[in-house]
Amino acid sequence: MLWEEEQFDDLIVENLSSDLGCSPLISKLLLGRGFNDVDQANSYLHPKLSHLSDPFCVPYLKEASARICESIEKKDKILIVGDYDVDGITSTVILAQILQAFGLNPIYAIPHRMEEGYGLTLDVLERGMGQEKINLVIALDCGTNSFEEATFLQNKGIDLVIIDHHQSKGNIHEHPTLLNPHLNGSSGTQWTNLCTAGLCFKLVHGILKHLRNKKNETALGISPKDYLALTALGTLADMVPLDGENRVLTKYGLKHLRHNPSTGLQSLIKLAKFDTRFPFDAEDITFRIAPRINACGRLNQPEVAAQLLLSQDSNEATNLAQQMDEFNEERKKIEAQLTETAHTQAEEKFASQPAAVIAGKGKEWNPGVVGIVAGKLANSLSKPCIVLAYDKGRYKGSGRGVAGINLVDALASCADLLEHWGGHPVAVGLTVHEDKLQDFITTFMQVLEEDENNKLQVPSLTIDGVLQTREISGELLNEISLIGPFGQENREPIFALKEITLNSKPRPVGNGEHFQFRVENNQGSIAGIAWKMRDRTPPVNQKIDLAFRLRWNRWNNQNTPQMVLEDWKLSEETS
């Protein structure tokens, strides 16, 4: 793997450090993120909710909030249709909560992926509408491409508001009020990369602003801050870029999750064994909370997650959290079996191909976990991977990409072979008829081989700074946290130690796939952990370079800095 060290002019680093009152290392991290202006850098280090833009600046948000406020004032019957992932479920709960706060009792329907598929479909509308006389449908994290469904509602005289962040694949229906920053010339704005939960936060702000202007007493007593924790969950789980407003919402959302969780969230925090003495970080959500919420949708019971997040009864919430945990354990078993099968198929059939398209039939081919498996394969094989499960004459599934490959563009070139498709550059969903599967695989491979814009990048690590062992401390970690929370497009810094020697052999831990090590310094030693690197254990008594992330080790009541190893090499190596 290639190590690329960030290089900056020493004078610029020194001046920025002096102006901001921060260490040279923090100045380098800021410069690496494009902040060389003192005021902008200071705002980045110390973001405030007041930095958020006026919600009515988002195209069509004023119209969407006005239509919803009309239903609030008329006490209309509203149906909310949200996607079955964390972004869709948290968005559903945000909208349900704000409507409930104004005395409405909205119905919500989240698609059962096995029977109803993804998004705003006629099946889910039929189930959600039931025998009720619905006046307004609000589609969340879906709906942009639901042309047939929009026509269906238009013919019934039912208004439709869509809050979505997915790309359009064709003509947009004129019936809905459509709030989607990717469709309205919003490129490059603060809200361009908001997920649906982020857009719902802006919408809630817009609803409150609209009704406060009318002197609505209920609106005057509600704070948008109450929805920050759910917004952070959706934002982190959907892996949207953590810059601009996403970063502000997430930073404050994590604080509210720790200090002011709802009854339902409190039950999840307790179940996941969070230590509330310390600040929560992005990985706490993506590895401990989000999988439990997603497991409900993956196993066809998304309402369980929504019910928990809406619950105000601690006993009910505890029982629902336990049920979600059981779903997650079942998901892990299914995922492990399918990952092994898919990996074997990838090595046997696609070793020399630019991507892998894995398809299969049977009980273990659960469509709810194919996205996770595709992501694991893409990471381990360093190329795009699509995993498809058979269902009634069709193969349905997900694809995950790698840097340098735009999966949306690649699928667009295969659109005539697909029944449904869509998503983001590195995460897509698709359906292909069994008769066209092989043609799709052939065409998809040709597209990746021929498109000059779709080229795999050489695996590399960006080294943000070379440290001395004496510099690794809790104070340094606290300073680094000012740059967070970390995630997409605000990556966690990677540091290097050079020409160090391990005096003792790394110790295997867990199931033997991981190992611990220690690096000596003049104050004692610094602990390190390497995850799933059993086959790359560094030698002792040889000079080596380490590339690592710096984290807190809070296991077993500890609170000390710890290196999380990313890579190592012999010091004499040059790349």
Side-chain angles (χ1 to χ4, degrees):
M1 184 176 294
L2 181 67
W3 292 19
E4 299 176 336
E5 293 183 23
E6 293 271 41
Q7 300 292 333
F8 302 102
D9 184 281
D10 289 342
L11 182 59
I12 295 176
V13 172
E14 182 181 342
N15 288 339
L16 188 60
S17 296
S18 176
D19 291 337
L20 292 174
C22 67
S23 70
L25 178 62
I26 295 302
S27 291
K28 290 178 181 178
L29 295 178
L30 288 167
L31 290 168
R33 285 157 173 74
F35 293 100
N36 50 19
D37 177 83
V38 174
D39 290 336
Q40 290 181 349
N42 193 55
S43 294
Y44 189 82
L45 289 176
H46 307 288
K48 299 177 181 178
L49 289 172
S50 59
H51 294 162
L52 298 174
S53 62
D54 186 324
F56 291 151
C57 289
V58 182
Y60 293 99
L61 192 143
K62 180 175 282 190
E63 290 83 350
S65 61
R67 178 61 190 87
I68 293 171
C69 287
E70 179 185 332
S71 282
I72 289 174
E73 291 168 337
K74 291 181 178 179
K75 302 296 182 184
D76 280 343
K77 201 65 179 178
I78 297 176
L79 169 64
I80 301 170
V81 177
D83 189 20
Y84 41 59
D85 67 1
V86 178
D87 187 26
I89 291 172
T90 52
S91 298
T92 298
V93 173
I94 289 170
L95 258 293
Q97 285 181 338
I98 189 67
L99 293 173
Q100 289 171 351
F102 286 100
L104 276 69
N105 185 27
I107 301 167
Y108 64 85
I110 302 171
H112 298 152
R113 71 167 77 203
M114 307 286 192
E115 299 86 17
E116 298 167 336
Y118 159 78
L120 184 66
T121 64
L122 294 177
D123 286 340
V124 77
L125 280 173
E126 183 178 345
R127 175 167 61 86
M129 293 168 68
Q131 303 302 313
E132 298 278 356
K133 179 174 174 52
I134 299 297
N135 307 104
L136 173 66
V137 173
I138 304 175
L140 302 175
D141 203 29
C142 59
T144 295
N145 297 299
S146 300
F147 200 94
E148 182 183 2
E149 291 75 16
T151 300
F152 169 80
L153 292 172
Q154 184 180 37
N155 291 339
K156 285 186 169 293
I158 299 173
D159 287 348
L160 173 61
V161 173
I162 295 173
I163 317 297
D164 195 11
H165 70 126
H166 292 92
Q167 303 281 349
S168 166
K169 297 185 295 184
N171 295 329
I172 301 298
H173 204 289
E174 78 282 354
H175 175 56
T177 299
L178 178 54
L179 172 55
N180 185 330
H182 294 288
L183 303 181
N184 302 308
S186 298
S187 178
T189 62
Q190 287 196 63
W191 53 83
T192 300
N193 292 316
L194 290 175
C195 65
T196 304
L199 290 170
C200 284
F201 179 88
K202 305 287 284 188
L203 181 64
V204 164
H205 193 183
I207 290 169
L208 293 175
K209 190 172 183 178
H210 185 99
L211 292 175
R212 285 172 180 175
N213 288 338
K214 293 187 173 185
K215 309 301 181 184
N216 182 292
E217 291 188 9
T218 301
L220 293 172
I222 300 172
S223 171
K225 294 179 182 179
D226 296 338
Y227 303 89
L228 281 168
L230 288 169
T231 302
L233 288 185
T235 299
L236 289 169
D238 225 46
M239 299 181 71
V240 290
L242 280 189
D243 55 11
E245 298 206 348
N246 276 334
R247 180 170 171 268
V248 177
L249 291 170
T250 300
K251 198 173 188 83
Y252 280 89
L254 288 171
K255 291 181 180 179
H256 276 258
L257 182 62
R258 178 187 172 203
H259 294 294
N260 305 296
S262 65
T263 302
L265 286 173
Q266 178 62 50
S267 67
L268 278 181
I269 289 169
K270 184 176 180 181
L271 183 75
K273 295 182 171 60
F274 278 50
D275 191 335
T276 56
R277 294 175 300 169
F278 305 110
F280 297 167
D281 62 28
E283 279 203 344
D284 288 325
I285 305 307
T286 54
F287 284 96
R288 299 163 71 184
I289 295 293
R292 289 176 164 92
I293 297 174
N294 268 330
C296 299
R298 297 186 192 285
L299 297 185
N300 225 32
Q301 300 198 55
E303 286 90 353
V304 172
Q307 188 179 349
L308 173 128
L309 295 176
L310 285 166
S311 178
Q312 298 179 18
D313 181 276
S314 58
N315 290 330
E316 178 190 46
T318 297
N319 292 333
L320 289 168
Q322 185 59 48
Q323 190 175 353
M324 289 169 64
D325 197 52
E326 292 168 2
F327 288 160
N328 194 42
E329 291 303 314
E330 184 179 350
R331 185 270 305 171
K332 288 179 184 178
K333 293 177 183 176
I334 296 170
E335 175 195 323
Q337 292 173 348
L338 183 53
T339 299
E340 184 177 351
T341 301
H343 199 280
T344 299
Q345 193 178 138
E347 290 183 330
E348 291 177 351
K349 296 182 179 181
F350 299 97
S352 61
Q353 300 284 353
V357 180
I358 312 300
K361 303 178 181 180
K363 186 177 180 181
E364 69 178 325
W365 291 83
N366 185 310
V369 303
V370 292
I372 304 176
V373 175
K376 288 191 169 186
L377 289 183
N379 287 334
S380 64
L381 301 176
S382 298
K383 62 184 181 183
C385 292
I386 293 174
V387 181
L388 303 169
Y390 181 81
D391 179 37
K392 300 175 183 176
R394 293 166 176 78
Y395 284 92
K396 301 177 181 179
S398 300
R400 296 294 182 266
V402 294
I405 304 291
N406 188 317
L407 289 182
V408 172
D409 290 347
L411 290 187
S413 300
C414 309
D416 59 329
L417 297 170
L418 300 172
E419 294 190 0
H420 302 286
W421 64 277
H424 312 289
V426 295
V428 293
L430 64 155
T431 301
V432 56
H433 194 277
E434 61 179 331
D435 293 339
K436 295 185 177 181
L437 177 61
Q438 194 54 53
D439 288 342
F440 164 69
I441 293 173
T442 301
T443 303
F444 183 67
M445 297 302 172
Q446 289 174 346
V447 168
L448 293 182
E449 288 175 344
E450 296 171 3
D451 190 347
E452 288 298 321
N453 294 320
N454 274 329
K455 294 300 179 185
L456 287 171
Q457 298 179 358
V458 176
S460 64
L461 274 182
T462 298
I463 305 298
D464 293 276
V466 178
L467 302 178
Q468 302 297 317
T469 55
R470 64 177 181 276
E471 296 179 276
I472 298 177
S473 65
E475 290 75 14
L476 177 62
L477 259 174
N478 288 333
E479 204 172 17
I480 292 169
S481 70
L482 296 174
I483 305 293
F486 301 114
Q488 296 295 309
E489 297 189 26
N490 186 36
R491 61 178 185 78
E492 187 176 3
I494 296 176
F495 303 107
L497 288 175
K498 292 195 171 184
E499 297 190 343
I500 62 100
T501 302
L502 300 184
N503 295 329
S504 57
K505 187 177 180 180
R507 181 172 66 88
V509 292
N511 60 4
E513 285 191 89
H514 326 297
F515 63 82
Q516 291 177 329
F517 62 97
R518 301 197 75 87
V519 173
E520 306 298 325
N521 67 6
N522 54 9
Q523 298 175 334
S525 64
I526 307 158
I529 183 78
W531 302 112
K532 296 184 179 180
M533 291 181 68
R534 172 179 56 188
D535 297 332
R536 291 210 63 231
T537 304
V540 295
N541 300 321
Q542 274 187 275
K543 287 191 175 182
I544 58 174
D545 299 344
L546 303 179
F548 59 93
R549 304 173 193 271
L550 198 56
R551 302 264 182 86
W552 288 109
N553 176 18
R554 288 171 173 148
W555 174 255
N556 200 22
N557 288 320
Q558 296 184 76
N559 189 36
T560 56
Q562 175 178 256
M563 295 177 287
V564 179
L565 191 64
E566 290 291 319
D567 194 21
W568 66 268
K569 61 184 179 181
L570 297 175
S571 295
E572 58 264 33
E573 293 181 6
T574 58
S575 64

